[in-house]
Amino acid sequence: MLADDYFVKHLSMSAEDADMLHQKYYKDYGLAISGLVKHHKVNALEYNREVDDALPLDGLITPNPDLRKLLEDIDTSKVKRWLFTNAYITHGQRVVRLLGIEDLFEGMTFCDYGKMPFICKPHGEMFAKAEAEAGAPSTKDCYFVGK
């Protein structure tokens, strides 16, 4: 896993310790990169280049006609289709492009690794950011789909 490799390389730790710390930061902060930035002063954009943007997704993620149809069937006169991700914008854009659905969304709220301190899900500030960027009057009128 590229994230664990990053921990090993940049924090000079064993693969086992890297995996444990990666999981701890993910659990504690919602994103492993949050712990790396907070505790190790890692450059989040460098991490994104070496990990998320370096993932070999071509061929793993392919256009999904069923997903596209599902999204196209949403009545956009009543619902705004908006992406909400903990990824940095480059990774989020890449994934929806590979899925063949990038043209179906009005925008994307992403974890901005270039802005410190950055916020991510599950923190309330991230949901407030998504609400504001999507122009949603409140989260009571929003549906969050995903895991």
Side-chain angles (χ1 to χ4, degrees):
M1 171 182 262
L2 288 176
D4 286 354
D5 293 345
Y6 187 93
F7 279 68
V8 168
K9 176 181 173 186
H10 293 277
L11 303 182
S12 302
M13 58 177 44
S14 71
E16 183 178 325
D17 288 343
D19 182 58
M20 288 175 35
L21 190 60
H22 178 201
Q23 296 308 317
K24 176 180 175 21
Y25 286 168
Y26 184 83
K27 181 181 176 195
D28 291 351
Y29 300 106
L31 276 181
I33 184 60
S34 294
L36 285 170
V37 168
K38 182 175 183 170
H39 298 290
H40 306 280
K41 307 301 183 231
V42 164
N43 179 313
L45 292 172
E46 175 186 294
Y47 174 91
N48 182 69
R49 276 189 301 278
E50 290 187 36
V51 177
D52 292 347
D53 285 350
L55 290 169
L57 299 179
D58 297 321
L60 291 175
I61 299 177
T62 58
N64 185 326
D66 292 335
L67 176 59
R68 182 171 185 85
K69 173 81 168 96
L70 175 75
L71 291 167
E72 287 174 333
D73 286 347
I74 294 172
D75 183 349
T76 56
S77 69
K78 297 178 183 174
V79 176
K80 180 186 285 188
R81 294 181 299 219
W82 194 269
L83 292 163
F84 184 30
T85 179
N86 260 359
Y88 187 59
I89 191 168
T90 53
H91 184 69
Q93 289 172 334
R94 181 177 173 212
V95 169
V96 294
R97 179 183 50 78
L98 290 169
L99 287 168
I101 58 171
E102 72 273 19
D103 60 314
L104 299 179
F105 295 92
E106 292 185 45
M108 177 191 304
T109 297
F110 59 94
C111 186
D112 189 351
Y113 293 177
K115 188 175 188 182
M116 295 298 151
F118 61 82
I119 57 169
C120 62
K121 298 181 278 181
H123 302 290
E125 302 96 324
M126 185 63 165
F127 287 87
K129 177 184 175 196
E131 203 176 297
E133 290 178 358
S138 96
T139 52
K140 74 177 182 66
D141 297 321
C142 295
Y143 295 95
F144 296 96
V145 180
K147 55 179 184 168

